[in-house]
Amino acid sequence: DGGITQSPKYLFRKEGQNVTLSCEQNLNHDAMYWYRQDPGQGLRLIYYSQIVNDFQKGDIAEGYSVSREKKESFPLTVTSAQKNPTAFYLCASSRTGTAYGYTFGSGTRLTVV
Amino acid sequence: AQSVAQPEDQVNVAEGNPLTVKCTYSVSGNPYLFWYVQYPNRGLQFLLKYITGDNLVKGSYGFEAEFNKSQTSFHLKKPSALVSDSALYFCAVRENTGFQKLVFGTGTRLLVSP
């Protein structure tokens, strides 16, 4: 079955550590996205990418970094510069074009301990 | 710039009653509108979309949405609510310039009581 996989489901980070969240899709989608969601809140865009080796900052990119070395993969690194990283992180992918919606992964819950 | 507004943070409805979750949009040109549902600790799931054609769009789990161009609205509806419909609902509109990202509303929490 085609889909988008995020791992791990739960992640614990000590203060001062970098952590990387994985996002892989086998839908042959060109575009991929990372969102942050705080409890009971909406989605905030961190980074997005339309093609390999190219990505753009979203609304809250500070303290995060991404790479897009393969079409299928769009990992997100939460750096030590992100002062409040505890949140639910969602990855999504889509075909390009206005008629298409997004397919979301099941999310990674990151907690700073 | 494209945007959507979900004016209600929460909607409460009794099981078996009809439900409506409101969404209004602001776009230049033709709107491409979407509804998603999110259950606790899960990703968003696609419910339905309006691209063109009939103003009444039918989607998953018995949901439908009515596109109203004059009122710039795209309200989500269901004739008879279930307790299992309790979740967070997001309306979204596609940008029709630049990267053509989805712009999401702030979400509406639906609580269906037994």
Side-chain angles (χ1 to χ4, degrees):
Chain A
D1 287 341
I4 182 166
T5 302
Q6 290 187 242
S7 62
K9 190 170 180 64
Y10 299 96
L11 187 57
F12 297 90
R13 190 193 94 169
K14 292 183 180 179
E15 289 192 21
Q17 281 185 337
N18 293 352
V19 292
T20 297
L21 283 60
S22 172
C23 179
E24 303 274 338
Q25 55 99 358
N26 61 3
L27 299 165
N28 200 31
H29 286 172
D30 291 312
M32 296 188 75
Y33 313 82
W34 274 105
Y35 288 90
R36 171 180 171 140
Q37 186 177 32
D38 292 289
Q41 301 300 310
L43 305 176
R44 291 189 288 170
L45 183 62
I46 305 173
Y47 270 98
Y48 57 101
S49 168
Q50 192 169 23
I51 57 173
V52 173
N53 292 324
D54 188 43
F55 46 83
Q56 288 76 40
K57 293 181 179 180
D59 301 319
I60 57 163
E62 185 175 353
Y64 300 97
S65 66
V66 293
S67 62
R68 187 89 187 273
E69 297 177 359
K70 299 185 301 182
K71 185 176 184 178
E72 301 80 14
S73 179
F74 193 42
L76 174 74
T77 297
V78 184
T79 74
S80 57
Q82 172 49 239
K83 296 307 178 186
N84 186 22
T86 295
F88 190 53
Y89 291 87
L90 286 164
C91 181
S93 69
S94 74
R95 295 180 182 180
T96 52
T98 51
Y100 301 104
Y102 292 1
T103 301
F104 282 85
S106 57
T108 293
R109 185 165 298 282
L110 173 63
T111 304
V112 173
V113 296
Chain B
Q2 283 72 221
S3 66
V4 291
Q6 294 183 244
E8 301 155 317
D9 289 336
Q10 184 166 308
V11 170
N12 298 304
V13 64
E15 188 173 33
N17 284 356
L19 70 87
T20 298
V21 182
K22 296 179 180 178
C23 173
T24 58
Y25 65 89
S26 174
V27 299
S28 55
N30 294 323
Y32 300 92
L33 297 158
F34 301 78
W35 274 104
Y36 287 83
V37 60
Q38 185 182 29
Y39 298 100
N41 297 313
R42 303 294 297 274
L44 277 67
Q45 296 177 30
F46 170 79
L47 281 178
L48 51 81
K49 67 179 178 182
Y50 173 83
I51 303 300
T52 186
D54 290 341
N55 290 341
L56 186 63
V57 180
K58 294 190 182 296
S60 306
Y61 313 121
F63 283 93
E64 57 190 27
E66 186 173 9
F67 172 71
N68 188 317
K69 188 173 183 178
S70 63
Q71 297 185 6
T72 63
S73 66
F74 189 55
H75 300 332
L76 183 70
K77 300 182 179 185
K78 188 173 183 182
S80 179
L82 300 172
V83 172
S84 58
D85 292 329
S86 298
L88 190 57
Y89 291 81
F90 290 95
C91 181
V93 63
R94 270 282 195 179
E95 295 176 330
N96 50 25
T97 57
F99 196 87
Q100 297 179 331
K101 301 188 303 297
L102 274 181
V103 177
F104 289 89
T106 52
T108 298
R109 185 164 302 282
L110 174 67
L111 291 178
V112 182
S113 55

